[in-house]
């Protein structure tokens, strides 16, 4: 029987559970470069995304849509559904709310990759100072995922215009406000979770040792981070092939001569992102979203609800 996990069921896994699922999958040998690339289907009013993946005895596929015009209609820009199968029989076992799954797994991957640095920063005491570009669900999700693992002292959200302060932040600043730049200079963690197609901050302001979690862009001609930051940072990506195909932050920095593709650190190499990462350089975790991430978090959420085994033959 196919069970249904609504948004509440998916979110019940929690940020810590989602981060653990990602780190356990990578520690178990999952290689993101072996994943099936997502298919992007141009549609009359946006895009369709098909994201399949198979690992650990499970197969799943997310069908997502991106409709830029929906904001003016008061509707969600992104909609998604996830279907999880048993690999042995290819029988559907669970239908999950894909929007909730995306909201949960995206910050889980960011924090899973940057967790060692976050813990090292937090060891100094006093809690971390976060600056979040974007007041949407991914901004909120990243704050929740960081808070689930290390103390947070202060959260500033930066948006294009002034507006109400979300409940998960301490203050809200407009991007053009001089206070936004000052907040970036002091930040331990900077999150960029916007729909911007051009850099949202001056990368020279990010202090050495800070963590930057960038998730907003997944097209080769759109970026949130400039070459000044990418050139001086250790850059962690999900997979080299995905980054060179979809991550405009990476693609454009390489094109401008600030970043060498051979210097990218991938999640398949834990000795790189959990080991010898220089502490005196910013750590940039740039993700675009991949099918394996949805799969491992979907399996964890399904197991929590139904008590299903971790792996299938």
């Amino acid at each position: 029987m196919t069970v249904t996990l609504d948004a509440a069921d998916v979110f019940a896994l929690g940020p810590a559970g989602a981060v653990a699922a990602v780190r356990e999958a990578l520690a178990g040998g999952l290689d993101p470069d072996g994943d099936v690339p997502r298919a992007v289907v141009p549609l009359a009013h946006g895009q369709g995304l098909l994201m399949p993946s198979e690992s650990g005895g499970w197969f799943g596929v997310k069908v997502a849509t991106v409709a830029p015009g929906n904001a003016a209609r008061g509707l969600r820009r992104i909609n998604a559904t996830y279907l999880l199968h048993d690999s042995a029989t290819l029988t559907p076992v669970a239908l999950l709310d894909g929007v909730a799954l995306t909201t949960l797994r995206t910050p889980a991957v960011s924090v899973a990759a940057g967790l060692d640095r976050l813990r090292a920063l937090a060891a100094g005491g006093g809690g971390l100072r976060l600056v979040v570009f974007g007041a949407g669900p991914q901004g909120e999700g990243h704050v929740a995922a960081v808070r689930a693992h290390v103390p947070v002292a202060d959260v500033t959200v930066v948006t294009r215009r002034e507006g109400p302060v979300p409940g998960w932040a301490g203050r809200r600043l407009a991007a053009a406000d001089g206070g936004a730049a000052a907040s970036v200079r002091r930040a331990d963690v900077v999150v960029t979770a916007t729909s911007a197609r051009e850099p949202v901050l001056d990368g020279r302001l990010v202090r050495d040792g800070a963590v930057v979690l960038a998730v907003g862009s997944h097209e080769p001609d759109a970026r949130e981070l400039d070459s000044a930051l990418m050139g001086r940072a250790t850059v962690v990506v999900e997979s080299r092939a995905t980054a060179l195909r979809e991550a405009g932050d990476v693609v454009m920095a390489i094109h401008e001569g600030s970043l060498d593709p051979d210097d990218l650190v991938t999640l398949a190499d834990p000795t790189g992102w959990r080991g010898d990462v220089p502490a005196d350089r910013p750590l940039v975790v740039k993700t675009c979203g991949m099918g394996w991430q949805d799969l491992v978090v979907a399996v964890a959420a399904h197991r929590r609800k139904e008590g299903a085994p971790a792996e299938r033959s």
Side-chain angles (χ1 to χ4, degrees):
M1 181 180 73
T2 304
V3 300
T4 299
L5 279 71
D6 62 16
D9 293 324
V10 174
F11 285 130
L13 177 63
V19 169
V22 171
R23 286 173 71 94
E24 287 167 9
L26 293 168
L30 186 151
D31 183 359
D33 274 310
D35 211 25
V36 179
R38 73 170 131 213
V40 180
V41 183
L43 302 175
H45 299 287
Q47 291 180 328
L49 305 175
L50 304 178
M51 300 178 64
S53 187
E54 183 177 17
S55 180
W58 301 90
F59 166 72
V61 60
K62 183 168 74 178
V63 179
T65 57
V66 182
N70 274 5
R73 303 182 181 100
L75 300 173
R76 291 191 307 203
R77 178 173 174 266
I78 297 175
N79 288 278
T81 302
Y82 195 85
L83 186 57
L84 179 66
H85 302 72
D86 178 322
S87 276
T89 64
L90 297 182
T91 302
V93 297
L95 182 68
L96 294 85
D97 184 302
V99 174
L101 180 62
T102 304
T103 302
L104 186 62
R105 65 82 155 141
T106 302
V109 177
S110 297
V111 172
L115 186 53
D116 289 6
R117 173 69 67 87
L118 292 172
R119 286 174 170 163
L121 289 169
L128 302 187
R129 293 163 294 189
L130 275 62
V131 174
V132 181
F133 285 80
Q138 281 302 331
E140 180 178 7
H142 276 75
V143 171
V146 173
R147 277 185 167 140
H149 293 87
V150 295
V152 171
D154 181 74
V155 179
T156 299
V157 62
V158 180
T159 56
R160 282 175 288 186
R161 293 174 291 276
E162 294 182 354
V165 180
W168 46 269
R171 69 186 62 81
R172 177 171 176 165
L173 301 173
D177 189 322
S183 293
V184 171
R185 287 192 183 95
R186 294 190 299 268
D188 300 298
V189 182
V190 177
V191 177
T192 60
T194 74
S195 59
R197 303 190 68 84
E198 296 181 353
V200 297
L201 72 152
D202 183 344
R204 295 170 298 181
L205 301 179
V206 177
R207 67 182 186 82
D208 293 339
V211 176
V212 179
L213 308 176
V215 300
S217 67
H218 62 270
E219 299 173 74
D221 59 349
R223 63 177 171 181
E224 298 175 295
L225 306 180
D226 61 17
S227 288
L229 175 59
M230 300 297 279
R232 57 185 278 255
T234 298
V235 180
V236 178
V237 297
E238 298 139 301
S239 92
R240 184 169 281 102
T242 296
L244 296 178
R245 183 177 61 246
E246 300 179 11
D249 311 73
V250 170
V251 171
M252 285 188 266
I254 291 172
H255 178 73
E256 292 168 1
S258 298
L259 182 64
D260 188 326
D262 291 336
D263 290 336
L264 296 173
V265 178
T266 73
L267 292 184
D269 181 14
T271 61
W273 55 272
R274 295 176 65 180
D276 299 328
V277 176
D280 59 350
R281 300 176 63 186
L283 175 67
V284 169
V285 180
K286 170 57 198 168
T287 64
C288 297
M290 297 180 68
W292 67 269
Q293 302 160 4
D294 295 306
L295 179 63
V296 299
V297 175
V299 169
H302 173 61
R303 289 175 57 206
R304 184 188 184 281
K305 181 176 174 66
E306 297 295 312
E311 298 200 3
R312 294 174 181 261
S313 58

